[in-house]
């Protein structure tokens, strides 16, 4: 990324962005107070949302739903239309922001290729339960969430978790429910994280529709072979889930242009498994873990891909030569072909675009860092440095090159570091979030880990003994 | 976009494999020091400060002699390690003296009383907790987890 590209990215907001967020804020306030209590202000906000989608195919559906909700109905179909309209507005915001990013970076992006929606099969009780709970929450409002309503999520999550196709929904609801549980009674909270919870709630409602059960993202039409050059890994986690999402360049074996792709592996976990132990939850992916820890390329053969997303197939992957991710990004990233996300995933919070920045200066205090390149500044988020890797805010502050993700949060573009080249004791070192994928390589941290004991083994041993008695 | 709840801090799990602040209680499971096959279920209610400790088969703990037993002390100490002192105190609705700085001390600073309760609820939550480790891993992307970044920042 050059200074001029930072300038283009941060020069201004896409047209209509402020209005769109204003609209969403009104809806979120209504969801905070609850659909059982739609006052004049909330009614105006909901009507505004209906107005915003009035020229889209959602128009009639949303207009009717808003009328009914204002009149006091909390029926699931109306609540779903509300979630759909809110998601559509934020989808448009996503598209505008990603368009701005592509123009600034000169990044080419293939459009999403729709495939016919799967015909809903038999009615899923797990989905029905999720829809019922999400509607109940919307009617009560975040302010009305109590112990009983939160406890109701337990069986919903359990049922969804038992169906592999519903993993996304299960993981989302479990994360949301845990936050609500920690905050009840929400009525006593001074400030409700209403945008965040409404985001999670809306996505939950979309994923809980019967048409989503066939999860179009899982249906794959394309297969590829070639050389995968991992750039860096982004780690996501809440109390009961962890995901390692590897951003990589794919050189197709058939000689096509280099593609910017992602592959993700994840595991269920419990809250007491944190830090480097998270890697130990992935024993079935030795090739991916070795590629990250040893910074090696990977040869993949006939693997499925949809847009930029490659479901990981360790059995179809083979370790290749060592690759310096910084060198690979320098040469191949500027012209790599990106891909648009699945339509449901279009949300500003989902924007995570790999970039390479070199030769910058870092300024600011720990926690509020800024990189400056040719006089142009970009804010850095160190909140997303994972607990399982060696990358620290101090290393970011001492860095001069960074492989990171461009994200958009709280009204501005941010750089999320995933790997840096930093000066430590007058030497340049490269530090990546994935360095400890096959075990901690820092003696001090390894010693502390050993002292704490092996959480994964302890709990698996208990589970083995108690769950099969 | 950061998580609303700070991630738990790492701790040894051998003595106390499970502790949580849920259902209005500080509750969990404590390993028996002498018998590997036995565990104690200990809990203290936030609203009343009523405590109890028994085996998972509801056999009362012999250590309860008019005061919280060593299992409850251990549980409170581990809760402080996992969640931080302030969060545990807040959950138990107490504003302790500055001299009180461990979980066990916090427990003894309460005007607590013994009141038998069933171990079954807590123990089944422990089994449910363990069952997450039996859920198969995933190899497709879970886009919603972008709302839940891993973080090293303890808040
Ligand atoms: Zn006891």
């Amino acid at each position: 990324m050059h200074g001029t590209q930072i300038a283009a990215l941060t020069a201004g907001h896409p047209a209509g962005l402020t209005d769109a967020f204003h609209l969403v804020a009104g809806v979120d306030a209504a969801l905070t107070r609850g659909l059982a209590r739609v006052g004049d202000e909330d009614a105006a906000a909901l009507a505004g949302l209906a107005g915003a989608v009035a020229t889209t195919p959602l128009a009639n559906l949303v207009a009717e739903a808003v009328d009914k909700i204002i009149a006091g109905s909390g029926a699931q179909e109306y609540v779903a239309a509300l979630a759909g309209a809110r998601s559509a507005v934020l989808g448009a915001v996503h598209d505008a922001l990603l368009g701005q990013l592509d123009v600034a970076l000169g990044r080419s992006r293939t459009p999403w290729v729709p495939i016919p929606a799967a015909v809903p099969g038999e009615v899923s009780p797990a989905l029905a339960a999720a829809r019922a709970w999400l509607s109940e929450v919307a009617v009560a409002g975040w302010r009305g969430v109590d112990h009983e309503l939160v406890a109701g999520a337990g069986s919903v999550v359990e049922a969804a978790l038992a169906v592999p196709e519903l993993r996304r929904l299960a993981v989302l609801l479990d994360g949301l429910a845990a936050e609500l549980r920690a905050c009840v009674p929400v009525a006593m909270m001074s400030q409700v994280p209403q945008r965040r919870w409404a985001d999670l709630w809306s996505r939950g409602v979309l994923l809980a529709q019967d048409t989503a059960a066939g999860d179009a993202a899982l249906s794959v039409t394309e297969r590829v072979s070639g050389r995968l050059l991992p750039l860096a890994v982004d780690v996501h986690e809440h109390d009961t889930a962890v995901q390692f999402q590897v951003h990589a360049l794919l050189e197709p074996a058939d000689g096509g242009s280099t593609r910017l792709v992602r592959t993700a592996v994840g595991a269920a976990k419990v809250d007491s498994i944190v830090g480097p132990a998270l890697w130990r939850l992935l024993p079935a992916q030795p090739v991916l873990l070795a590629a990250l820890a040893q910074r090696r390329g990977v040869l993949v053969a006939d693997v499925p891909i949809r847009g930029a997303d490659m479901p990981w197939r360790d059995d179809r992957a083979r370790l290749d030569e060592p690759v310096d991710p910084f060198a690979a990004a320098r040469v191949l990233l500027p012209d790599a072909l990106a891909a648009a996300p699945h339509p449901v995933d279009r949300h500003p919070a989902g924007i995570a675009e790999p970039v390479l920045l070199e030769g910058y200066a870092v300024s600011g205090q720990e926690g509020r860092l800024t990189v400056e390149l040719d006089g142009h500044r970009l804010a850095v988020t160190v909140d997303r440095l994972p607990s399982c890797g060696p990358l620290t805010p101090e290393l970011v502050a001492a860095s001069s090159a960074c492989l990171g993700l461009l994200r958009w949060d709280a009204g501005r573009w941010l750089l999320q570091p995933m790997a840096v080249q930093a000066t430590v004791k007058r030497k340049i070192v490269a530090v990546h979030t994935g360095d400890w994928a096959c075990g901690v390589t820092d003696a001090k941290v390894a010693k502390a880990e050993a002292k704490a004991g092996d959480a994964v083994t302890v709990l698996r041993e208990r589970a083995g003994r108690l769950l099969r008695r | 976009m950061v998580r609303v709840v700070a991630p738990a801090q790492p701790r040894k799990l051998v003595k106390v494999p499970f502790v949580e602040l849920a259902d209005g209680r500080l509750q969990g499971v404590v390993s028996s020091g002498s018998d590997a096959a036995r565990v104690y279920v200990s809990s203290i209610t936030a609203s009343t400060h009523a405590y109890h400790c028994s085996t998972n088969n509801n056999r009362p703990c012999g250590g309860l002699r008019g005061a919280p037993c060593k299992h409850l002390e251990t549980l409170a100490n581990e809760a402080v390690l996992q969640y931080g002192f302030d969060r545990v105190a807040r959950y138990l609705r107490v504003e302790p003296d500055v001299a009180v700085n461990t979980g066990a001390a916090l427990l003894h600073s309460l005007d607590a009383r013994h009141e038998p309760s069933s171990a079954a609820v807590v123990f089944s939550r422990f089994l449910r907790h363990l069952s997450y480790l039996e859920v198969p891993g995933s190899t497709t992307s879970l886009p919603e987890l972008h709302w839940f970044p891993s973080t090293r920042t303890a808040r």
Side-chain angles (χ1 to χ4, degrees):
Chain A
M1 211 177 169
H2 307 297
T4 50
Q5 293 175 323
I6 295 177
L9 187 68
T10 54
H13 293 319
L17 189 90
T18 312
D19 292 339
F21 276 113
H22 186 72
L23 201 64
V24 169
V27 175
D28 296 350
L31 286 167
T32 300
R33 284 184 279 262
L35 300 183
R37 285 167 292 276
V38 179
D40 290 345
E41 198 183 326
D42 295 338
L46 297 180
L49 180 67
V53 297
T55 57
T56 74
L58 288 173
N60 294 340
L61 192 71
V62 175
E64 189 197 348
V66 164
D67 280 349
K68 291 282 166 59
I69 289 170
I70 292 172
S73 168
Q76 285 181 21
E77 57 186 300
Y78 304 137
V79 168
L82 179 66
R86 186 186 180 281
S87 303
V89 170
L90 286 166
V93 171
H94 164 274
D95 295 353
L97 288 168
L98 196 58
Q100 182 192 30
L101 181 147
D102 285 344
V103 169
L105 296 185
R107 185 160 286 179
S108 309
R109 189 174 301 275
T110 53
W112 178 259
V113 183
I115 52 172
V119 180
E122 59 221 75
V123 176
S124 154
L127 286 178
R131 288 196 296 269
W133 184 77
L134 287 161
S135 291
E136 214 180 318
V137 166
V139 169
W142 303 122
R143 288 280 180 205
V145 171
D146 57 13
H147 279 292
E148 201 186 340
L149 193 48
V150 174
S155 57
V156 175
V157 169
E158 205 167 340
L161 211 49
V163 185
E165 292 75 33
L166 303 185
R167 178 64 68 91
R168 280 176 67 174
L169 179 63
V171 165
L172 168 66
L173 292 181
D174 218 4
L176 173 59
E179 293 191 356
L180 294 176
R181 193 179 304 122
C183 294
V184 286
V186 179
M188 303 294 284
M189 272 182 104
S190 56
Q191 218 172 2
V192 174
Q194 61 181 33
R195 165 80 58 77
R196 172 180 176 80
W197 284 352
D199 279 349
L200 297 172
W201 174 85
S202 310
R203 180 63 63 86
V205 173
L206 296 190
L207 294 179
Q209 302 304 308
D210 282 324
T211 41
D215 195 349
L218 296 179
S219 352
V220 166
T221 48
E222 190 189 353
R223 301 186 86 87
V224 287
S225 300
R227 191 162 74 119
L228 201 62
L229 310 168
L231 292 173
V233 58
D234 181 24
V235 187
H236 312 139
E237 118 184 68
H238 63 47
D239 284 353
T240 60
V242 61
Q243 168 169 265
F244 302 90
Q245 186 162 48
V246 179
H247 294 264
L249 295 161
L250 174 71
E251 295 180 310
D254 64 12
S257 47
T258 301
R259 295 166 68 165
L260 189 52
V261 300
R262 301 175 298 205
T263 188
V265 292
K269 70 176 199 75
V270 294
D271 57 355
S272 48
I273 298 176
V274 288
L278 293 172
W279 296 107
R280 307 229 16 252
L281 293 164
L282 300 176
Q285 280 90 27
V287 177
L288 187 64
L289 293 179
L292 291 174
Q294 300 167 21
R295 296 179 203 156
R296 304 261 295 264
V298 176
L299 297 171
V300 293
D302 195 30
V303 292
I305 187 166
R306 186 90 212 273
D309 284 306
M310 293 173 56
W312 181 250
R313 292 287 303 268
D314 215 75
D315 58 333
R316 292 177 177 273
R318 201 152 50 81
L319 281 177
D320 195 36
E321 302 286 307
V323 174
D324 171 14
F326 281 88
R330 199 174 298 129
V331 177
L332 296 171
L333 187 55
D335 296 318
L337 186 60
H342 187 285
V344 167
D345 301 341
R346 293 161 47 250
H347 189 288
I351 296 176
E353 287 292 313
V355 287
L356 170 67
L357 276 87
E358 294 182 286
Y360 53 75
V362 185
S363 61
Q365 297 300 311
E366 202 182 295
R368 290 187 75 87
L369 301 176
T370 306
V371 294
E372 185 174 333
L373 193 57
D374 308 329
H376 302 288
R377 299 161 75 92
L378 183 62
V380 178
T381 169
V382 291
D383 285 350
R384 300 184 77 115
L385 298 178
S387 60
C388 61
L391 195 53
T392 60
E394 294 74 22
L395 283 164
V396 174
S399 72
S400 56
C402 173
L403 265 169
L405 295 173
L406 282 179
R407 289 195 178 270
W408 200 87
D409 189 21
R412 59 181 181 157
W413 289 101
L414 294 166
L415 176 68
Q416 173 197 342
M418 295 190 293
V420 299
Q421 289 176 343
T423 309
V424 178
K425 294 179 187 158
R426 297 194 203 153
K427 268 198 191 147
I428 301 272
V429 294
V431 180
H432 294 244
T433 49
D435 283 349
W436 295 347
C438 292
V440 175
T441 53
D442 177 303
K444 225 166 90 186
V445 179
K447 208 171 148 195
E449 282 289 301
K451 200 170 153 233
D454 184 344
V456 179
T457 305
V458 168
L459 291 177
R460 283 214 171 117
E461 183 267 333
R462 295 282 169 148
R465 193 132 44 88
L466 292 168
L467 294 177
R468 275 177 289 284
R469 259 215 309 230
Chain B
M1 208 156 57
V2 289
R3 292 165 60 185
V4 169
V5 189
Q9 293 304 299
R11 58 182 188 86
K12 290 184 194 180
L13 299 179
V14 176
K15 267 194 295 185
V16 179
F18 178 56
V19 59
E20 65 171 359
L21 302 170
D23 301 339
R25 289 186 294 269
L26 160 59
Q27 56 192 18
V29 169
V30 184
S31 306
S32 159
S34 52
D35 181 353
R38 189 192 300 162
V39 292
Y40 287 87
V41 174
S42 314
S43 69
I44 178 149
T45 305
S47 57
T48 62
H49 295 164
Y51 61 84
H52 188 53
C53 180
S54 68
T55 67
N56 53 317
N57 301 320
N58 280 320
R59 222 164 295 151
C61 168
L64 289 175
R65 290 187 206 95
C69 60
K70 66 178 187 339
H71 304 119
L72 275 156
E73 289 178 351
T74 311
L75 183 76
N77 284 337
E78 294 297 300
V80 164
L81 282 181
Q82 180 156 326
Y83 296 109
F85 184 84
D86 291 345
R87 193 166 154 203
V88 175
R90 204 162 51 236
Y91 196 85
L92 292 176
R93 305 178 199 179
V94 283
E95 281 171 38
D97 196 89
V98 283
V100 173
N101 52 15
T102 67
L106 181 69
L107 188 64
H108 289 296
S109 76
L110 303 175
D111 184 18
R113 61 194 169 77
H114 178 233
E115 186 179 292
S117 59
S118 166
V121 179
V122 181
F123 196 68
S124 71
R125 285 190 61 90
F126 176 46
L127 294 183
R128 167 97 191 90
H129 182 79
L130 289 179
S131 70
Y132 276 98
L133 299 172
E134 312 255 299
V135 174
S138 60
T139 53
T140 54
S141 123
L142 305 171
E144 288 67 40
L145 281 177
H146 281 258
W147 271 284
F148 298 91
S150 178
T151 181
R152 56 194 309 132
T153 331
R155 265 159 291 126

